Amino acid sequence: MDKVILLALSLVLVDLGSPRKIRARIKDNRWILDDPDHSLSKELYMLAAYGKGTMSRGYANWYERHFVTGVPDSLAEHRRWKTLDFSTLDRTDREETVLMEEEALFLSESGIVELLDPIHVSQTRYRAYCYYKERGWIVKDGSRLGCDFTLYPSNPMHSHASYAVIVLDSGRMTSQWLLSKTRVNVNVKKAVIVCVVDERGIFERQVERWVPDKDRTLS
């Protein structure tokens, strides 16, 4: 699946008159795409949800939402708009598209993105990232849920994440630590996968939070 998507991305770059590769550089400890008009980053996101706008839930479209379409990208933004005076807003488009380190390396190795700075990625996380990409998942950052990645069955603009993935380089963990991870994700209806990456390969196990009131055996 990813080979088809990457081929499509290559054709898109040609159609848009772009150089063969999109450039990306480190800025404020994040990988930022060199794409001022957001045309290329939008295609990256629409085809396979690579990257994210720094002021948007999906691809970088803050300026478009506020000054062109007038369509908010969330209920929270719609509520904020009720208190805004749009005539006083700075119309300069300062939004940028940021890539996860794993996305940046993956796109670089695929010949889509040219990295202008050295990249240092955890090989444990990167192996897990590629493992799920090869299985057709859209893999996004999971830090807001206290995990490494979240897995989407399709573009995050049209679906919710199905799983939260915790990546380990060994199978050792405490029950208290695991409970704290599952508690957060159960509340947002995410199943938790523990993915162990070591020299033997990649092993995964779905875990569930034990709830005494629901799971106890009645005598």
Side-chain angles (χ1 to χ4, degrees), residues 13 18-23 40 108 111-114:
L13 296 181
S18 166
R20 177 64 176 165
K21 297 180 181 179
I22 311 171
R23 292 181 174 181
L40 300 176
S108 173
I112 301 298
V113 169
E114 177 185 358

Side-chain angles (χ1 to χ4, degrees), residues 183-201:
R183 181 192 299 272
V184 171
N185 287 283
V186 163
N187 290 339
V188 292
K189 296 180 172 57
K190 304 286 184 292
V192 176
I193 294 175
V194 175
C195 178
V196 179
V197 180
D198 61 21
E199 66 279 358
R200 298 171 297 164

Side-chain angles (χ1 to χ4, degrees), residues 48-170:
Y50 292 108
K52 180 187 176 301
T54 53
M55 300 165 67
S56 302
R57 297 182 68 189
Y59 66 90
N61 65 346
W62 177 89
Y63 185 90
E64 179 182 344
R65 295 197 313 274
H66 284 72
F67 301 113
V68 181
T69 65
V71 179
D73 70 354
S74 66
L75 180 60
E77 184 169 81
H78 175 70
R79 291 169 176 163
R80 287 197 301 272
W81 281 9
K82 293 181 179 180
T83 65
L84 283 180
D85 180 358
F86 280 78
S87 64
T88 64
L89 287 182
D90 182 356
R91 298 178 71 93
T92 305
D93 187 0
R94 295 190 175 90
E95 187 168 23
E96 296 174 309
T97 297
V98 61
L99 295 172
M100 292 192 304
E101 288 185 335
E102 292 78 14
E103 287 179 322
L105 181 56
F106 183 80
L107 291 172
S108 173
E109 292 184 343
S110 303
I112 301 298
V113 169
E114 177 185 358
L115 304 181
L116 302 181
D117 297 301
I119 186 167
H120 305 285
V121 178
S122 162
Q123 287 304 304
T124 299
R125 278 176 53 103
Y126 188 60
R127 285 178 62 191
Y129 175 86
C130 293
Y131 175 82
Y132 290 108
K133 290 293 292 181
E134 290 169 357
R135 283 155 179 74
W137 291 101
I138 288 180
V139 187
K140 303 302 289 181
D141 178 59
S143 56
R144 66 188 179 87
L145 297 178
C147 60
D148 291 282
F149 301 119
T150 48
L151 304 182
Y152 290 80
S154 60
N155 195 299
M157 293 182 66
H158 310 299
S159 66
H160 294 287
S162 301
Y163 298 98
V165 180
I166 300 168
V167 180
L168 302 173
D169 57 9
S170 73

